[in-house]
């Protein structure tokens, strides 16, 4: 009967496996998966796993058997029957031997299981685990049927996964350190085996490749470089063998990239000649176009230089070795050809030059002086090399490049740009002088015609530096400005770089306004060319932003050209928005008597077009133009800031005695208001149009601030109309801005109060009907009421504002999975609770349903909340603790009373400890966050795990 019962169990197991692997029905697969997971957790799994590994079973079933073994050993070790350790160990070793010839997936899983067993019993129960395993597989114990190569590969697989299992297992840090030390003790034995296999002439290639991968795995144990010297020599020797080249490179890079190598300077100095010895092989690879080999050797040189630059610099008496290594890396940086089509090595070297520069400049004064004498010329050479590498290929070659190649080249040039900017810190103004002299020679030497690529590269160098470095003290910038008009920009790339260079000099031009006349015509001429759109528009925007006070004489030209290109639709929508931002900067700095006239001349054609579209029946064809024009107005108004310039205007213009006039933007919006109303009447149910209208007002509001006052009443009515017809987050965000700016102005707040009451009632009805599909509306609603509490909390004293309903909406919002919505909800409650003393209705709702709030909060903390959210939940708890301590002491214990709430992982002791901590903490917000994080981890059963360390 017992045998029949066992057999029946196996039949069920095999049926479930058959269903898991071969049944096309996903629901059945899921059922089988769940059943098998439970089976793996059962005590019987220690026995049935061996039956699944029988030779007559298919590989999928054998793999499940091996996985079951690993699951039992790694997760259910305490379930192992007493006295079964020796038997389990012997059986596992035997099984690894039997599967030495495959299938590979089963062998690997068995090796992982055996590795997990070793980690459980090392070093106390089985201190000689590694030597015993080496002996068992080398003498053939348990693997007598496997041939030599398969047996060797099985041993190497086991040795590879052993450190990997240590890295991936959830083991406390102290135990992990103990195991790492215990395994490292056996490195000499393991290293000796690796050395023998690598040096055996008859060792098959797969064996030596597996040895190399195994070495990389063991390096994670912190093996010292001095203990790997001979092994490293063998790896360098393997670089001559093409089949093993890539794996040998990986292993060498792993060995010499260990930061701990710095403790063994003597061993490190022995590596330098080995790396330098690769130069002939590198040279030949470059000549032969062997990108893989040159890339690999470059990786090795850069790994040594980057990781150990400081250590090598400190060996002052051995400076020639480092200089030779730097020269080798320079040759890698200057690898002939264009990245990424002809070569892929040069990009690897860029970070090395940062490292060398940083390490030199951090040395003491004496050594720094010595090395700067050696390396300043090297860095000037580097600039020449980098500009050569950044040069565009010939037009006919570039035309054959794929879009991906061009994008990689663009990114590569950005990296070079960043490097040049950093190098400037070392070389200083002399670098700009160097670039200027070369550019001047190219443009004025008629005996040697220059290519556009050479000119573009030098301008690219200027732009890279001027983009982020203050060049105001450079004496070559005026000369550069004078050279720019001499350049014939008959190529898109060159023209773009000219524009970006001009844009990068915008701040300098603000201090040297006489030079604007030289470059503005170049920019305005380029605006009419759509191929140069991004660069030209960017340059115009930067000049208008930085030089706005010096553009009066040029304003008419800028306006005329800009209006012309906007009317002709030469540029794409984003660039049109930039043009309007540029014009906003420009117009806001003009004399006050000119602003309104020029503003109206700019916007009138667009408003007329908008009026025409508004009179047409709504359709997809005219929706985009409407959104586009509203976007143009929004971007124009976003930079139309008269207030920012008030101090300058007071100095430059006489005091005006006439009454204060409305802001020009207000005048335009007042005139356009009926038109906007007409558009909304037709498009109220179209989110994009409503968002565009809200954006136009919101950007105006943020720029004008209190000057927006004449429009407040009209705008409140409009928002109420929009939100009543189709509730959208953009309308709530616009209302929040009104509250923020006019919250303290009694005369203007009446219409805002009415609007707030209206949209609060509408949003409450959304919650009643089901708000799950509107997380953005809920988020903005929470943010709006948080702003009200901060700026105008006395509104909550009104009977017409249902604060209790807002409170319950917040409770429902805690159920949302969206992180931004939850954060906004936490902010609302944090602010709301802080007003429990001065707002009676807040105190009432907390007394009635404070326990509900705490239950909801604890449920959220005990759920799958990320660490960032736990901090926000802690803010709410801290607010309760600070403002309602007596209520908290009552609510908290009641809320945690039900068994299994908020998690089955929590014991009564856990809950009581949490209560004591929370009730004690009324001072440190940081301490409260730590308490809540610990409770969240306990609730999920993750305390003490690797995940907890990063939580």
């Amino acid at each position: 009967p017992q045998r029949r019962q066992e057999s029946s169990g196996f039949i069920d197991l095999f049926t479930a496996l058959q269903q898991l692997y071969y049944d096309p029905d996903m629901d059945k697969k899921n059922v089988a998966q769940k059943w098998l997971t439970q089976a793996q957790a059962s005590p019987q799994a220690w026995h049935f796993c061996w039956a699944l590994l029988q030779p007559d079973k298919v590989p999928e079933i054998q793999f499940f058997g091996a996985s079951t073994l690993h699951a039992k050993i790694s997760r259910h070790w305490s379930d192992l029957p007493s006295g079964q350790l020796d038997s389990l160990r012997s059986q596992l070793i035997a099984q690894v031997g039997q599967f030495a010839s495959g299938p590979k997936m089963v062998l690997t899983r068995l090796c992982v299981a055996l590795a997990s067993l070793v980690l459980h019993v090392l070093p106390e129960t089985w201190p000689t685990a590694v030597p015993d395993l080496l002996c068992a597989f080398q003498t053939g114990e348990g693997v007598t049927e496997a041939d030599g190569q398969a047996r060797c590969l099985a041993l190497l697989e086991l040795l590879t996964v052993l450190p990997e299992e240590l890295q991936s297992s959830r083991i406390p840090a102290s135990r992990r350190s103990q195991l790492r030390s215990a395994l490292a003790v056996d490195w000499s034995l393991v290293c000796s085996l690796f050395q023998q296999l690598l040096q055996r002439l008859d060792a098959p290639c797969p064996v030596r490749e597996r040895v190399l991968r195994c070495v990389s795995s063991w390096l994670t144990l912190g093996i010292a470089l001095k203990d790997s010297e001979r092994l490293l020599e063998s790896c360098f020797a393997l670089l001559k063998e093409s089949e093993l080249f890539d794996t040998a490179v990986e292993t060498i890079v792993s060995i010499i990239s260990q930061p701990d190598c710095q403790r063994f300077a003597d061993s490190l100095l022995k590596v330098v000649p080995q790396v330098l010895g690769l130069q002939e092989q590198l040279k030949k690879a470059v000549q032969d176009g062997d990108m893989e080999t040159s890339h690999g050797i470059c990786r090795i040189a850069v790994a040594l230089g980057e990781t150990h630059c400081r250590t090598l610099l400190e060996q002052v008496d051995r400076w020639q070795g480092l200089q030779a290594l730097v020269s080798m890396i320079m040759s890698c940086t200057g690898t002939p050809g264009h990245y990424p089509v002809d070569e892929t090595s040069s990009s690897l070297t860029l970070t090395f030059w940062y490292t060398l520069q940083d390490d030199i400049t951090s040395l003491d004064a004496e050594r720094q002086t010595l090395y700067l004498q050696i390396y300043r010329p090297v860095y000037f050479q580097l600039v020449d090399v980098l500009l050569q590498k950044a040069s565009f290929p010939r037009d006919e070659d570039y035309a054959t490049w794929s879009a991906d190649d061009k994008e990689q080249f663009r990114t590569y040039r950005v990296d070079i740009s960043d490097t040049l900017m950093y190098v400037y810190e070392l070389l200083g103004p002399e670098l700009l002088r160097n670039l200027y002299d070369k550019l001047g020679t190219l443009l004025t030497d008629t005996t040697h015609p220059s290519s556009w690529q050479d000119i573009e590269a030098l301008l690219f160098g200027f732009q890279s530096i001027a983009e982020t470095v203050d060049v105001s003290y450079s004496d070559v910038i005026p000369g550069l400005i004078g050279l720019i008009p001499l350049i014939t920009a008959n190529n898109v790339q060159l023209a773009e770089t000219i524009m970006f260079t001009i844009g990068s000099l915008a701040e300098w031009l603000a201090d040297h306004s006489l030079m604007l006349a030289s470059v503005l015509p170049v920019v305005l001429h380029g605006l009419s060319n759509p191929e140069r759109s991004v660069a030209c528009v960017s340059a115009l925007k930067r000049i208008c932003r930085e030089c706005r006070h010096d553009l009066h004489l040029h304003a008419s030209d800028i306006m005329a050209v800009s209006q012309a290109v906007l009317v002709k639709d030469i540029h794409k929508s984003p660039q049109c928005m930039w043009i309007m931002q540029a014009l906003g900067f420009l117009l806001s700095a003009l004399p006050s008597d000119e602003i309104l006239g020029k503003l109206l001349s700019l916007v009138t054609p667009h408003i007329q077009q908008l009026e025409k579209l508004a009179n047409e029946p709504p359709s997809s064809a005219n929706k985009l133009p409407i959104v586009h024009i509203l976007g143009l107005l929004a971007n124009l108004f976003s930079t139309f800031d008269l207030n920012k310039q008030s101090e300058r205007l007071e100095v430059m213009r006489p005091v005006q005695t006439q009454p204060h006039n409305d802001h020009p933007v207000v005048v335009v919006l007042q005139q356009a208001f009926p038109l906007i109303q007409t558009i909304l009447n037709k498009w109220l149910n179209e989110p994009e149009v409503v968002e565009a209208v809200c954006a136009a007002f919101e950007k105006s509001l943020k720029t004008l601030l209190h000057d927006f006052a004449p429009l407040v009443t009209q705008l409140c009515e409009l928002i109420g109309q929009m939100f009543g017809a189709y509730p959208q987050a953009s309308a709530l965000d616009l209302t929040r801005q009104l509250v923020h700016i006019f919250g303290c102005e009694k005369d203007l707040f009446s219409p805002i109060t009415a609007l707030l009451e209206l949209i609060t009632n509408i949003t409450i009805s959304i919650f009643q009907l089901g708000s799950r599909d509107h997380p953005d509306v809920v988020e903005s609603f929470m943010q709006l009421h948080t702003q009200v509490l901060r700026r105008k909390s006395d509104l909550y004293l009104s009977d017409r504002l249902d604060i209790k309903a807002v409170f319950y909406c917040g409770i429902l919002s805690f159920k949302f999975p969206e992180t931004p919505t939850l954060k906004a909800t936490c902010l609302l409650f944090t602010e709301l609770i802080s007003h429990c003393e001065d707002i009676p209705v807040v105190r009432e709702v907390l007394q009635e349903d404070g326990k509900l709030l705490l239950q909801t909060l604890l449920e959220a903390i005990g759920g799958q909340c990320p660490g960032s959210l736990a901090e926000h939940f802690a803010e709410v708890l801290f607010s309760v603790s600070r403002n309602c301590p007596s209520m908290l002491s009552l609510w908290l214990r009641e809320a945690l009373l039900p068994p299994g709430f908020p998690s089955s992982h929590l014991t009564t002791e856990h809950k009581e400890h949490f209560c004591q901590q929370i009730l004690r903490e009324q001072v440190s917000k940081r301490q409260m966050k730590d308490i809540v994080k610990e409770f969240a981890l306990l609730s999920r059963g993750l305390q003490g795990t690797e995940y907890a360390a990063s939580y």
Side-chain angles (χ1 to χ4, degrees), residues 584 587-588 595 599 636-642 663-665 703-704:
L587 291 173
S588 62
I595 293 178
L599 175 60
L636 173 66
F637 300 154
S638 70
T639 57
F640 209 107
D641 190 357
L642 299 181
H663 193 289
V665 170
T703 306
L704 273 60

Side-chain angles (χ1 to χ4, degrees), residues 326-348:
V326 171
S327 179
M328 181 179 179
I329 294 175
M330 179 71 80
S331 70
C332 293
T333 306
T335 302
H338 285 93
Y339 179 93
V341 174
D342 304 315
E343 60 90 11
T344 57
S345 304
S346 58
S347 63
L348 301 174

Side-chain angles (χ1 to χ4, degrees), residues 399-659:
T400 65
W401 284 21
S402 68
D404 185 54
D405 289 337
K406 290 178 179 178
E407 175 58 23
Q408 286 190 57
F409 183 60
R410 186 196 65 79
T411 306
Y412 175 66
R413 278 170 53 99
V414 171
D415 293 338
I416 288 178
S417 177
D418 292 341
T419 309
L420 289 170
M421 177 270 294
Y422 204 72
V423 169
Y424 179 83
E425 294 183 14
L426 183 73
L427 301 180
E430 190 180 345
L431 173 55
L432 289 177
R433 165 63 62 183
N434 187 295
L435 295 176
Y436 173 70
D437 290 343
K438 289 179 179 177
L439 181 62
T441 302
L442 284 179
L443 293 175
T444 57
D445 186 359
T446 56
T447 60
H448 297 89
S450 56
S451 68
W452 71 262
Q453 288 93 339
D454 293 335
I455 296 170
E456 191 278 336
L458 286 168
L459 284 174
F460 172 75
F462 267 111
Q463 179 223 330
S464 300
I465 295 165
E467 196 68 59
T468 50
V469 175
D470 181 7
V471 294
S472 58
Y473 299 105
S474 172
D475 59 351
V476 304
I477 302 301
L480 172 63
I481 296 290
L483 288 175
I484 285 176
L486 302 180
I487 302 172
T488 304
N490 52 6
N491 175 277
V492 173
Q493 286 85 13
L494 175 57
E496 285 188 340
T497 303
I498 290 172
M499 294 302 163
F500 285 131
T501 303
I502 293 172
S504 70
L505 295 171
E507 289 185 33
W508 184 92
L509 288 166
D511 296 325
H512 304 81
S513 56
L514 291 177
M515 304 300 290
L516 282 167
S518 298
V519 295
L520 256 179
V522 178
V523 176
L524 295 178
H525 177 72
L527 273 181
S528 60
N529 190 332
E531 290 184 330
R532 306 169 189 180
S533 177
V534 173
C536 288
V537 174
S538 174
L540 177 66
K541 179 182 171 183
R542 295 178 74 169
I543 288 174
C544 288
R545 182 181 65 209
E546 303 299 337
C547 311
R548 67 185 90 175
H549 302 296
D550 304 298
L551 292 175
H552 185 207
L553 296 177
H554 310 283
S556 297
D557 292 338
I558 296 173
M559 289 281 292
V561 174
S562 300
Q563 284 178 288
V565 298
L566 286 170
V567 170
K568 294 176 183 176
D569 284 333
I570 288 176
H571 301 284
K572 293 181 180 178
S573 185
Q575 281 69 59
C576 292
M577 304 304 161
W578 290 0
I579 291 174
M580 292 302 261
Q581 289 176 22
L583 296 178
F585 289 124
L586 173 69
L587 291 173
S588 62
L590 293 178
S592 57
D593 57 345
E594 296 181 23
I595 293 178
L596 183 58
K598 289 195 182 308
L599 175 60
L600 288 172
S601 72
L602 172 63
V603 300
T604 298
H606 301 292
I607 290 178
Q608 288 173 346
Q609 177 66 14
L610 193 61
E611 192 170 9
K612 178 184 174 186
L613 291 165
N615 292 325
E616 297 175 1
S619 69
S620 57
N622 55 23
K623 181 179 75 172
L624 287 179
I626 289 174
V627 171
H628 175 74
I629 294 172
L630 289 169
L632 292 177
L633 296 176
N635 280 274
L636 173 66
F637 300 154
S638 70
T639 57
F640 209 107
D641 190 357
L642 299 181
N643 296 320
K644 224 176 211 182
Q645 316 308 325
S646 58
E647 291 182 13
R648 183 182 177 100
L649 299 180
E650 288 171 11
V651 173
M652 295 180 64
R653 301 174 190 165
V655 177
Q656 298 178 359
T657 57
Q658 65 263 35

Side-chain angles (χ1 to χ4, degrees), residues 103-173:
K104 177 68 165 58
M105 63 178 184
V106 182
L107 171 64
T108 299
R109 211 70 197 142
L110 287 169
C111 288
V112 172
L114 182 52
S116 185
L117 183 147
V118 170
L119 297 180
H120 275 294
V121 296
L122 188 73
E124 297 87 352
T125 309
W126 192 12
T128 59
V130 173
D132 290 350
L133 289 171
L134 292 179
C135 181
F137 284 96
Q138 286 180 296
T139 59
E141 180 185 330
V143 288
T144 54
E145 297 180 8
D147 59 35
Q149 181 176 337
R151 185 169 66 247
C152 184
L153 286 170
L155 173 60
L156 292 172
E157 181 71 15
L158 174 59
L159 291 174
T160 301
V161 301
L162 186 54
E164 291 174 354
E165 182 69 3
L166 175 61
Q167 290 294 106
S168 61
S169 298
R170 286 182 174 177
I171 301 174

